[in-house]
Amino acid sequence: FVGWSGVMVKGQNNALRDIVSHHNGGCGILLDGQVTTCAYNTVETCRCYLNGEIGIGQNTALASRILGNICQDNGLEGITIDLPSYRSIIDGNQVIGNCTIGGVGGIGIDQAYLSVISNNLISGTVGRPGMTFQCNVGDTTFCTVTGNVFVDNANGGIWLKKTGPYHSSFNVIDCNVFLNNGGKS
């Protein structure tokens, strides 16, 4: 990540609640386990907006819980599950107007598995789908996407990609609502 994040977690069993993180060069909140174990952290009822990169990013994080947050107008994704992150729960969030300078979708997923993405509002993603299973660095498998509302995203609701040797497979997409998404719906 290029810029400094508002809050960076490189540990285990932490609870971040009611934080407002905005106008940071990097992520609003970053759970980063590339160098140390980052696991079992909860990010709840926070607001991350106008950050240069991702609202709430997970990079090599295990069993994170991202609950009831608002991620709005961030430069890249609103929320990510990446490299490898697994058994995450992304529930009840509002992911609105993200990808203002790039990124892959309102919610970006890459090399993630056994995660549940449920009951989120994903709206107004700029130039990208509401959610992208990117698969640039690894397979994304056994994830469940249910009960979400995808509305007014510029380039479709959900995009399950195959990139090189990596696949999106064995995922369940069930009981979501799609309204007025453009492009690759």
Side-chain angles (χ1 to χ4, degrees):
F1 295 96
V2 176
W4 288 99
S5 297
V7 177
M8 182 182 292
V9 177
K10 292 184 174 252
Q12 302 180 59
N13 299 303
N14 297 290
L16 285 68
R17 292 189 179 96
D18 301 319
I19 293 170
V20 176
S21 185
H22 59 92
H23 289 92
N24 296 290
C27 300
I29 297 172
L30 176 60
L31 306 177
D32 185 4
Q34 289 185 335
V35 178
T36 184
T37 301
C38 184
Y40 311 107
N41 295 297
T42 300
V43 179
E44 189 171 14
T45 59
C46 296
R47 182 157 184 236
C48 298
Y49 64 96
L50 294 171
N51 293 290
E53 294 178 3
I54 300 162
I56 300 172
Q58 297 177 82
N59 193 342
T60 316
L62 163 67
S64 302
R65 295 168 25 103
I66 311 298
L67 309 171
N69 302 285
I70 299 172
C71 297
Q72 186 169 4
D73 299 324
N74 294 288
L76 304 178
E77 297 86 356
I79 297 174
T80 61
I81 311 171
D82 281 342
L83 308 172
S85 294
Y86 51 96
R87 292 196 314 239
S88 295
I89 297 172
I90 311 299
D91 186 77
N93 300 284
Q94 296 178 43
V95 181
I96 304 166
N98 294 286
C99 294
T100 60
I101 62 170
V104 300
I107 297 178
I109 304 169
D110 195 350
Q111 195 181 5
Y113 38 96
L114 296 170
S115 292
V116 176
I117 302 98
S118 58
N119 307 311
N120 300 287
L121 168 65
I122 303 102
S123 176
T125 306
V126 179
R128 306 287 192 270
M131 180 183 297
T132 299
F133 286 57
Q134 183 178 5
C135 300
N136 274 350
V137 296
D139 295 329
T140 297
T141 56
F142 302 106
C143 293
T144 300
V145 179
T146 186
N148 300 287
V149 176
F150 295 86
V151 62
D152 294 329
N153 297 293
N155 209 3
I158 300 174
W159 189 9
L160 286 84
K161 290 178 64 178
K162 177 190 180 299
T163 308
Y166 304 118
H167 301 267
S168 297
S169 53
F170 304 105
N171 297 292
V172 175
I173 312 266
D174 186 41
C175 296
N176 297 282
V177 174
F178 299 91
L179 176 65
N180 200 37
N181 296 290
K184 295 181 175 107
S185 291

